[in-house]
Amino acid sequence: MVCLHHFPSYLLLVIVILATSGGGCHQDQSAALLRLRASFRFPDTDSNYPRFSFYRTLLPWKVDTSCCTWDGVTCDGTSGHVTALDLSSLCISGNLSSSDIFELTSLRSLSLAFNNFDANPWPNRGFEQLTELKYLDLSYSGLSGALPVENGQLSNLVALNLSGLDLKNLSLHTLIDSLGNLQKLHLEEVNISASPTDLAHASSTNTTSGLKELIMGWCTITGGRFDTDLANLLFHSKFANLVTLYLSGFDLKILSLHTLINSLGNLQKLQLIEMIISASPTDLAHASSTNTASGLKELTMRGCTITSGRLDTVLTKLPFLSTLILDGTNISGPTPVPQHFADFSSLAVLILCSCGLTGTFPSWIFRIKSLMYLDVSGNENLCVESPEFIQGSALQVLRLSGIKFSGKIPESIGNLRNLTELDLSNCLLYGPIPSFSQWPMISRVDLSVEDGNHSYAEYPNFWDHLGLASCNLSYVPKFLMHQSSIFYLDLSSNNIGGHIPDWIWGIGYFALNLSHNSFTSINTNLSNTSICDFDLHSNKIEGALPLPPWGIERVDYSNNHFNSSIMPEFWSRISSATSLSLANNSLIGEVSHLICSATYIEVLDFSFNSFSGLIPPCLLKRKERLKILNLRGNNFHGPLPQDIINKCALQIIDLNGNKLEGKLPVSMINCQMLQVLDLGNNMIVDTYPEWLGVLPLLKVLVLKSNRFHGPIDYEMNKQTHPFFPELQVLDLSSNSFNGSIPTRFLKQFKAMMVISPGAPNMYVEIIGTLLLPSSPRNRSRSPLYYRESVTVSLKGQETTLVQILSVFMYIDLSNNNFMGVIPNVIGDLKFLKQLNLSRNSFTGEIPPRIAYMLQLESLDLSYNQLSGEIPPAMAAMSFLEVLNLSYNHLSGMIPQSSQFLTFPNTSFLGNDRLCGKPLARLCETNHAPSAAATPGSSKELNWEFLSVEVGVVSGLAIVAATMLLWGNGRGWVYWHVDKFWLQVVQPWICRRRH
């Protein structure tokens, strides 16, 4: 018999309630969400729309499911109403004209940040329906217009982020007065208006705002100044409740740091980034006169400028500071921390790096028990004398890099039992380092020396105690023997020699930098380690290439003496690598196709070895991540792959100095990020590849010493974008190009005609920082810098530029079969630094407009068939250091300017009709010095030269007037004026008449 138990009635009631009203999404809100999504435009995943790592894709919303399960939607667990909608970082475009979003009346949180709403205005009405809205994030959404705040529509907001928006019709005062419940306000990179400067009209209310957190930075202020606006708000005590204040990029002319802190009694965190502010109090009416201590706990000033006053007078009023960061703030003087101030008992973080500090660092700081992080690096004139570390110190990070810390490391450093990072690089230390066994938590040690003239190796006892004395490598150093927690060890630039000890491979996961030493041998199999970054470059190691650890991410074996072929197992070991450099060794054999297994590789540098065979096709056909391919100076032969991948990411291709044949692959135009293409010194047979001009970022094109042939006169494609818009180095020398140089060929090089605003006048890397992907272990990574070298004929000599000046412009068409005249338009390339047209068959005169190239430093027109005079205006080319006009058919007098007199006679040899210094051949009397006429035709007026001449003449006029007032000088002036009239002005007038 089966017994039937009665179902409890209360459970049945619960099921009925849940089925009828619990947790499910309401139909009207579900429909509103679907209509809202339908009104948006999302980017095509296959389009070229710019995508960044913080952008995401909105997962599909399925109609037959509860909206509470949809991506970006959050519901109340009981009522089922939508309470939060997160549509941030989706690249949405369109507008918010529909009212669907306001049907979600239970919304408490709404985020539309990081979208692109086409500068459409947000609705003026509708927000009043969202009475429960507390958190609103519209930052960088593309919305514009007047934010509806004055009518109370958003009066219940607690947190508001409007960063990146145009709010010029809204004042900061109105925003704060209208949102009485607001506690957090973010206004970075906004356009907002300031209030009137009159304090009486600055605000309509005197109530204190509830604002606790304000972040403002890099704003555009209209209708006033931010320093006045901030002063008004402080005067009316609007910010009396502020706990956190972050300001960036402002010039607080009428405020001081003292006034700012004293006016905000509840302030606990103050961060100022790239601000201009004084330290001392001002005499303004609203400046605080109180002398009470502030409760400020964290003060951060990065890249700020202190205009006046002493910072230490401000710090004495901050006894509760736990964090003091003055990173890159220009203090330029003694440390602002008082020499005798023991009230910093709560200080945990002290960063005073790169502040220009001088004098002696206060020794009492090393005795603060609460201090956990101390960084005073980058102050070259700061001295630390005999620091004493106490028992029980909480110090975890100690960075003293580059300061004047000379002498022995104090024994008391062993008291730092919590130390995790020690940076004593460039400190000129000697003597023993206390046993690392005293530091059970140590994970990062930097004892490197960047300046090779001051190496730790100068103090032999130092390396004895580290167990790295020149040849005695059997001793296991005590400081590393049991330190499995170390993940970073830098012993670079110390001239340590001999065998790399085997014990070092037994240490736990870490990055190891042994570069710039004198190691001669290494274990050839590093299987017993989990090193992820291994830098061994610039040593003296010979023999077989060591097999790297499994799963390594970055390997640098460059600049050694490895002389073997590469074992097959090597390629499987680097399958996860992002960077591999074997440059400047003596490696032989072929590069195996097994390299194709390295699917994450971004930087591959095998330059200057003796590799042979074909270039593995996958390096160009299948590597979507590869950015740098450098196979320069090897023996690779055969053709290049003709089908380069569509998603090519290459920025540098350097195959110079091999034996490559065939034609250039037209599919190279798929490499739209390409900046450097160097195929010089090969055996490539092809015509001029004008199609390379479609590459928008190409800066360097080197095709020298190949077998290119034919004219460079081509018909421009019917495309709207310019050809070679960024090209600044072009080397076509030592080929078989012929024909004339078309005017349009020179006119396309726009980058050589105009320097982009703000171009730095310093050497920079063509490829900047390549941030390698984060390790699976979530380890922080250092940036990887790569510097490409280009060999050019610089001022008559072969020179390798490891770094290329951002404004360096260079054209070399020498040693070809070009003929015809040199186009006068070449003078438009006025920012060119080097021009070499030698060893061709150019005829006609030197184009007069070549004198427009006032930045030119080297000009070589030798071994051509040029005739006529040297343009007199070339005398004004003051930057010209190297000039070679030899072996042409030039005639007339060499310009007798101070600039031309610096050139040797070899610059003018082989021109039988040239005369005048520096040649020994004197000119006949009818060859008077030519006037410095304007370049170009006689009807052309060069305003650049005219402005210079007007300035010179004005200066001469002042000098002449002074001389005329001086009796003894009057005769001298008259004689030289007459000479100038007869020899310069009168001949010029005659030429103009004829």
Side-chain angles (χ1 to χ4, degrees):
M1 180 177 181
V2 179
C3 295
L4 297 176
H5 297 278
H6 293 287
F7 193 78
S9 58
Y10 68 89
L11 288 179
L12 182 61
L13 179 61
V14 170
I15 292 174
V16 171
I17 294 176
L18 291 176
T20 56
S21 61
C25 177
H26 290 257
Q27 185 63 32
D28 58 335
Q29 296 191 345
S30 178
L33 285 170
L34 289 174
R35 290 194 301 271
L36 183 66
R37 176 165 180 158
S39 68
F40 292 155
R41 297 194 304 270
F42 295 89
D44 186 353
T45 56
D46 295 328
S47 69
N48 292 326
Y49 192 87
R51 307 283 295 185
F52 302 98
S53 59
F54 54 84
Y55 283 130
R56 61 190 181 92
T57 301
L58 188 66
L59 298 178
W61 289 354
K62 297 181 180 181
V63 179
D64 55 349
T65 60
S66 171
C67 72
C68 299
T69 64
W70 292 352
D71 186 16
V73 180
T74 303
C75 298
D76 182 87
T78 302
S79 66
H81 291 293
V82 176
T83 57
L85 180 61
D86 183 1
L87 298 177
S88 62
S89 304
L90 294 172
C91 294
I92 299 174
S93 57
N95 58 66
L96 287 176
S97 58
S98 65
S99 60
D100 298 305
I101 198 169
F102 300 118
E103 295 186 24
L104 309 175
T105 55
S106 298
L107 271 184
R108 299 170 195 163
S109 175
L110 173 62
S111 178
L112 301 175
F114 292 100
N115 285 294
N116 183 25
F117 286 108
D118 306 328
N120 286 312
W122 40 60
N124 290 325
R125 304 294 301 175
F127 278 106
E128 69 276 1
Q129 300 177 48
L130 306 181
T131 57
E132 298 185 30
L133 192 63
K134 304 291 184 183
Y135 307 94
L136 178 62
D137 187 352
L138 302 177
S139 60
Y140 302 98
S141 60
L143 294 168
S144 65
L147 187 71
V149 295
E150 295 184 78
N151 55 8
Q153 290 189 50
L154 299 172
S155 58
N156 292 324
L157 281 181
V158 173
L160 175 63
N161 190 343
L162 301 175
S163 298
L165 301 183
D166 187 352
L167 307 171
K168 59 178 176 293
N169 296 322
L170 181 68
S171 74
L172 183 60
H173 274 276
T174 301
L175 185 63
I176 293 174
D177 284 345
S178 302
L179 304 178
N181 293 314
L182 199 64
Q183 297 183 21
K184 294 183 178 181
L185 177 61
H186 291 201
L187 296 172
E188 295 184 277
E189 299 184 280
V190 301
N191 187 350
I192 193 168
S193 68
S195 300
T197 55
D198 186 358
L199 298 183
H201 300 89
S203 178
S204 59
T205 63
N206 291 319
T207 58
T208 299
S209 170
L211 204 62
K212 294 183 179 180
E213 177 179 302
L214 174 63
I215 298 178
M216 288 189 69
W218 314 112
C219 299
T220 299
I221 305 297
T222 59
R225 285 185 5 204
F226 177 73
D227 56 347
T228 304
D229 210 24
L230 181 58
N232 292 336
L233 290 165
L234 294 175
F235 178 80
H236 287 92
S237 300
K238 289 290 183 181
F239 289 157
N241 292 318
L242 267 186
V243 176
T244 300
L245 176 61
Y246 291 173
L247 300 176
S248 305
F250 291 112
D251 184 352
L252 300 185
K253 288 185 173 66
I254 65 173
L255 283 176
S256 69
L257 185 62
H258 177 274
T259 301
L260 188 61
I261 294 175
N262 277 357
S263 300
L264 303 173
N266 292 314
L267 196 65
Q268 295 186 22
K269 297 181 181 180
L270 176 60
Q271 177 174 295
L272 306 176
I273 308 296
E274 297 188 28
M275 300 278 290
I276 300 175
I277 192 170
S278 68
S280 303
T282 64
D283 56 1
L284 295 178
H286 56 268
S288 175
S289 59
T290 61
N291 292 318
T292 57
S294 170
L296 193 68
K297 294 182 179 180
E298 298 181 15
L299 173 60
T300 299
M301 299 178 68
R302 298 185 186 274
C304 295
T305 299
I306 307 286
T307 58
S308 62
R310 295 184 53 177
L311 193 57
D312 55 352
T313 61
V314 179
L315 297 181
T316 55
K317 301 296 183 181
L318 308 176
F320 303 108
L321 270 183
S322 62
T323 299
L324 175 59
I325 301 176
L326 304 177
D327 184 2
T329 293
N330 185 17
I331 300 173
S332 299
T335 171
V337 181
Q339 295 290 331
H340 304 286
F341 184 54
D343 290 337
F344 275 6
S345 57
S346 302
L347 196 63
V349 176
L350 178 60
I351 299 177
L352 303 175
C353 57
S354 302
C355 291
L357 300 179
T358 60
T360 303
F361 192 68
S363 58
W364 61 265
I365 291 180
F366 297 105
R367 298 192 293 271
I368 300 177
K369 280 193 172 184
S370 61
L371 192 62
M372 301 173 63
Y373 195 115
L374 177 60
D375 185 353
V376 293
S377 59
N379 295 288
E380 298 177 355
N381 297 314
L382 186 64
C383 180
V384 172
E385 296 180 354
S386 303
E388 182 180 348
F389 303 94
I390 60 175
Q391 289 281 355
S393 172
L395 200 62
Q396 298 178 15
V397 176
L398 177 60
R399 296 179 178 173
L400 305 179
S401 174
I403 66 173
K404 292 182 178 178
F405 182 9
S406 57
K408 295 182 177 181
I409 298 179
E411 291 291 336
S412 61
I413 201 171
N415 292 331
L416 305 180
R417 302 298 301 275
N418 297 308
L419 200 64
T420 62
E421 180 177 338
L422 175 65
D423 187 349
L424 300 178
S425 58
N426 302 305
C427 286
L428 302 182
L429 301 170
Y430 64 91
I433 287 184
S435 172
F436 276 42
S437 62
Q438 298 294 320
W439 302 332
M441 305 297 292
I442 194 74
S443 61
R444 181 184 176 100
V445 180
D446 192 342
L447 305 175
S448 62
V449 183
E450 293 181 4
D451 186 351
N453 295 324
H454 301 285
S455 172
Y456 292 141
E458 294 178 3
Y459 310 102
N461 291 335
F462 180 88
W463 289 118
D464 285 342
H465 286 274
L466 261 70
L468 294 176
S470 57
C471 295
N472 181 18
L473 299 174
S474 59
Y475 169 68
V476 178
K478 295 180 180 179
F479 79 100
L480 285 175
M481 187 173 181
H482 304 293
Q483 301 303 325
S484 60
S485 62
I486 287 183
F487 73 87
Y488 178 89
L489 179 61
D490 189 343
L491 298 177
S492 62
S493 304
N494 282 293
N495 295 318
I496 315 169
H499 182 77
I500 298 177
D502 291 341
W503 52 258
I504 208 166
W505 317 122
I507 300 175
Y509 167 79
F510 71 118
L512 178 61
N513 188 348
L514 302 178
S515 64
H516 290 287
N517 281 288
S518 300
F519 290 115
T520 56
S521 61
I522 184 176
N523 191 325
T524 58
N525 192 338
L526 308 182
S527 299
N528 297 325
T529 181
S530 54
I531 297 175
C532 195
D533 283 1
F534 187 24
D535 193 344
L536 193 61
H537 83 273
S538 300
N539 279 278
K540 301 177 181 179
I541 305 176
E542 301 177 348
L545 200 67
L547 293 174
W550 291 98
I552 197 163
E553 294 182 17
R554 180 182 174 188
V555 187
D556 192 345
Y557 288 166
S558 62
N559 293 285
N560 279 281
H561 303 302
F562 296 116
N563 53 15
S564 65
S565 59
I566 301 179
M567 299 176 61
E569 189 179 355
F570 180 91
W571 305 114
S572 59
R573 297 281 186 99
I574 63 160
S575 59
S576 300
T578 56
S579 174
L580 173 62
S581 178
L582 307 177
N584 291 284
N585 282 285
S586 300
L587 296 168
I588 60 175
E590 298 186 3
V591 175
S592 172
H593 68 279
L594 295 174
I595 195 175
C596 301
S597 62
T599 55
Y600 300 101
I601 201 76
E602 295 184 8
V603 177
L604 190 63
D605 189 348
F606 289 175
S607 60
F608 299 107
N609 280 283
S610 297
F611 289 118
S612 58
L614 300 176
I615 296 175
C618 68
L619 296 181
L620 292 170
K621 294 172 63 175
R622 301 214 311 263
K623 294 295 182 186
E624 296 184 7
R625 299 172 181 259
L626 189 61
K627 294 181 174 66
I628 296 169
L629 176 62
N630 191 346
L631 305 180
R632 184 187 189 95
N634 282 281
N635 296 314
F636 291 107
H637 67 265
L640 289 171
Q642 295 296 311
D643 48 351
I644 296 176
I645 188 172
N646 287 330
K647 297 182 179 179
C648 172
L650 281 164
Q651 299 178 22
I652 291 178
I653 299 177
D654 190 346
L655 306 178
N656 191 304
N658 284 280
K659 300 176 181 178
L660 300 175
E661 303 167 349
K663 291 187 175 183
L664 294 186
V666 178
S667 57
M668 195 171 283
I669 61 176
N670 292 331
C671 302
Q672 291 289 299
M673 303 300 292
L674 195 64
Q675 298 186 45
V676 178
L677 177 60
D678 190 345
L679 301 174
N681 297 287
N682 280 284
M683 296 183 290
I684 299 173
V685 181
D686 205 345
T687 56
Y688 179 64
E690 76 278 359
W691 44 268
L692 285 173
V694 303
L695 298 177
L697 303 178
L698 190 64
K699 292 180 172 64
V700 177
L701 176 59
V702 178
L703 303 177
K704 65 181 295 185
S705 300
N706 276 280
R707 298 175 183 174
F708 286 94
H709 57 87
I712 56 175
D713 188 3
Y714 58 91
E715 294 185 6
M716 298 289 285
N717 291 343
K718 297 179 181 179
Q719 298 189 25
T720 56
H721 55 72
F723 268 41
F724 297 107
E726 298 292 332
L727 198 69
Q728 59 187 67
V729 173
L730 174 64
D731 192 343
L732 304 180
S733 62
S734 299
N735 281 284
S736 297
F737 290 115
N738 56 32
S740 62
I741 298 181
T743 297
R744 59 177 174 267
F745 174 79
L746 297 173
K747 282 187 174 181
Q748 65 187 329
F749 302 129
K750 301 300 183 183
M752 302 181 189
M753 300 178 186
V754 180
I755 297 295
S756 300
N761 190 19
M762 58 183 290
Y763 280 95
V764 296
E765 291 83 7
I766 291 180
I767 301 300
T769 305
L770 291 176
L771 290 176
L772 300 185
S774 298
S775 163
R777 302 172 180 83
N778 262 340
R779 181 170 56 86
S780 62
R781 302 299 306 269
S782 299
L784 170 66
Y785 296 93
Y786 184 87
R787 298 172 180 176
E788 167 66 355
S789 63
V790 176
T791 301
V792 297
S793 180
L794 191 62
K795 300 178 182 178
Q797 296 182 350
E798 288 289 311
T799 303
T800 298
L801 302 178
V802 177
Q803 296 171 295
I804 293 185
L805 193 64
S806 60
V807 293
F808 179 77
M809 309 294 178
Y810 174 95
I811 289 182
D812 190 347
L813 305 181
S814 64
N815 198 23
N816 279 282
N817 299 316
F818 291 116
M819 60 182 65
V821 298
I822 301 174
N824 207 23
V825 73
I826 199 168
D828 292 344
L829 307 179
K830 52 188 175 182
F831 291 102
L832 209 60
K833 300 290 184 182
Q834 318 285 332
L835 176 61
N836 190 348
L837 303 179
S838 65
R839 299 182 184 275
N840 283 285
S841 299
F842 290 115
T843 56
E845 297 183 347
I846 298 175
R849 285 175 64 184
I850 205 168
Y852 284 6
M853 305 165 75
L854 295 178
Q855 302 291 324
L856 204 63
E857 299 175 2
S858 176
L859 174 63
D860 192 346
L861 302 178
S862 63
Y863 292 95
N864 280 285
Q865 300 176 29
L866 300 172
S867 58
E869 294 186 349
I870 300 174
M874 288 181 63
M877 301 173 71
S878 57
F879 282 91
L880 199 60
E881 298 179 13
V882 175
L883 175 66
N884 192 349
L885 304 178
S886 63
Y887 299 99
N888 280 283
H889 304 302
L890 300 175
S891 60
M893 187 174 185
I894 298 172
Q896 297 298 291
S897 70
S898 57
Q899 184 71 21
F900 267 70
L901 292 177
T902 63
F903 302 133
N905 63 347
T906 54
S907 296
F908 308 100
L909 292 178
N911 294 281
D912 295 338
R913 299 178 61 188
L914 273 183
C915 61
K917 293 182 179 180
L919 294 177
R921 187 183 307 111
L922 299 178
C923 293
E924 299 177 5
T925 55
N926 61 346
H927 279 104
S930 300
T934 58
S937 66
S938 60
K939 296 181 180 180
E940 185 176 23
L941 183 60
N942 182 357
W943 291 102
E944 294 180 40
F945 280 88
L946 184 60
S947 62
V948 175
E949 291 170 355
V950 169
V952 173
V953 171
S954 300
L956 290 175
I958 296 173
V959 175
T962 305
M963 293 293 290
L964 289 174
L965 294 176
W966 175 43
N968 293 334
R970 191 176 298 116
W972 183 91
V973 171
Y974 288 160
W975 185 84
H976 279 82
V977 169
D978 288 342
K979 182 179 178 181
F980 179 79
W981 175 264
L982 293 173
Q983 295 184 358
V984 178
V985 178
Q986 199 170 34
W988 180 78
I989 293 175
C990 292
R991 286 197 303 272
R992 295 283 291 179
R993 288 177 177 176
H994 291 86

